[in-house]
């Protein structure tokens, strides 16, 4: 009986219509392809490499200082305009003498929605995570909602807080760190000025 039920669930799952690319932006799907060594994820619309040269070009290279990926949650969108905010922040930090940043343009910033079905897999594969916190009056509410989704979905348990330079360590960031640690078990790293 168990085998028939499982077969029925698989059949139902395959027949259930799914919105293409709704929960997985193209840049996340492309990163998953590169992490997987060139094989397209199931259900992803796109072209797979046709030659072994193309496949080897898409395989992830050994991590170099010039190829550091930072997964960012909480950005309002996934486009280059939004990820550029993080790059601009890294440029400001580099200008302040923070050596760990290195070349700010060498960071590969990938925006990921907290509701992505790939979050648990990426949390196990990616070492560097950040949470974007804006400077507006609703920033705490939005950031906490993202953190709650991260905790519920098995996302990363340690993240760097990235924010506009105008946001100070006290107040918003301090409250967010405390709430994340106390209620969700997530450690947020805030860089001192």
């Amino acid at each position: 009986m168990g085998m028939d039920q499982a077969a029925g669930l698989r059949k139902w799952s395959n027949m259930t219509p799914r919105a293409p690319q709704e929960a997985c932006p193209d840049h996340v799907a492309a990163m998953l392809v590169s992490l997987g060594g060139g094989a397209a994820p199931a259900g992803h619309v796109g072209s797979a490499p046709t030659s072994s040269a193309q496949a080897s070009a898409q395989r992830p290279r050994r991590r170099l200082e010039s190829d550091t990926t930072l997964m960012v949650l909480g950005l309002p969108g996934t486009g280059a305009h939004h990820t550029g905010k993080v790059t601009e922040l890294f440029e400001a930090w580099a200008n302040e003498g923070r050596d760990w940043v290195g070349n700010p343009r060498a960071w590969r910033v990938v925006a990921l929605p907290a509701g992505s079905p790939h979050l648990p897999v990426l949390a196990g594969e990616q070492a560097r995570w950040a949470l974007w916190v804006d400077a507006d009056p609703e920033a705490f509410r939005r950031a906490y909602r993202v953190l709650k989704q991260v905790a519920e979905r098995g996302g990363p348990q340690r993240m760097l807080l990235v924010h506009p330079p105008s946001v100070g360590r006290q107040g918003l960031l301090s409250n967010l760190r405390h709430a994340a640690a106390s209620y969700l078990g997530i450690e947020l790293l805030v860089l001192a000025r």
Side-chain angles (χ1 to χ4, degrees):
M1 185 87 139
M3 295 297 273
D4 293 334
Q5 184 179 15
L9 287 173
R10 279 192 298 278
K11 183 178 177 183
W12 173 81
S13 174
N14 290 334
M15 292 174 57
T16 303
R18 294 182 183 148
Q21 301 297 335
E22 182 177 282
C24 183
D26 288 336
H27 70 280
V28 175
M31 188 181 73
L32 288 170
V33 168
S34 70
L35 285 172
H44 176 67
V45 179
S47 58
T50 57
S51 71
S52 61
Q54 286 176 329
S56 65
Q58 289 188 353
R59 286 196 182 108
R61 297 180 306 274
R62 187 174 298 271
R63 286 212 185 267
L64 303 171
E65 283 187 29
S66 63
D67 186 21
T68 304
T69 300
L70 178 68
M71 304 298 295
V72 182
L73 299 163
L75 283 168
T78 58
H81 168 70
H82 300 290
T83 58
K85 294 178 179 183
V86 177
T87 304
E88 289 172 10
L89 177 63
F90 278 19
E91 288 172 349
W93 283 347
N95 290 337
E96 290 176 2
R98 298 184 185 196
D99 294 336
W100 66 267
V101 174
N103 177 2
R105 296 285 174 184
W107 287 81
R108 180 177 174 211
V109 178
V110 178
L112 183 72
S116 170
H118 305 294
L119 180 65
V121 173
L122 290 171
E125 294 178 353
Q126 295 298 315
R128 294 171 185 86
W129 288 83
L131 173 68
W132 176 261
V133 180
D134 253 321
D136 63 278
E138 294 295 313
F140 180 89
R141 183 184 55 78
R142 276 194 316 274
Y144 187 79
R145 187 176 61 231
V146 168
L147 289 170
K148 190 172 178 184
Q149 287 179 325
V150 167
E152 290 170 351
R153 294 176 164 270
Q157 296 299 300
R158 188 173 196 211
M159 291 184 266
L160 175 66
L161 271 172
V162 287
H163 50 83
S166 62
V167 177
R169 183 180 175 110
Q170 297 302 319
L172 171 65
L173 300 182
S174 179
N175 291 340
L176 194 56
R177 279 186 68 214
H178 176 71
S182 298
Y183 301 110
L184 303 171
I186 296 176
E187 181 183 1
L188 298 176
L189 177 64
V190 179
L191 299 176
R193 291 189 178 206

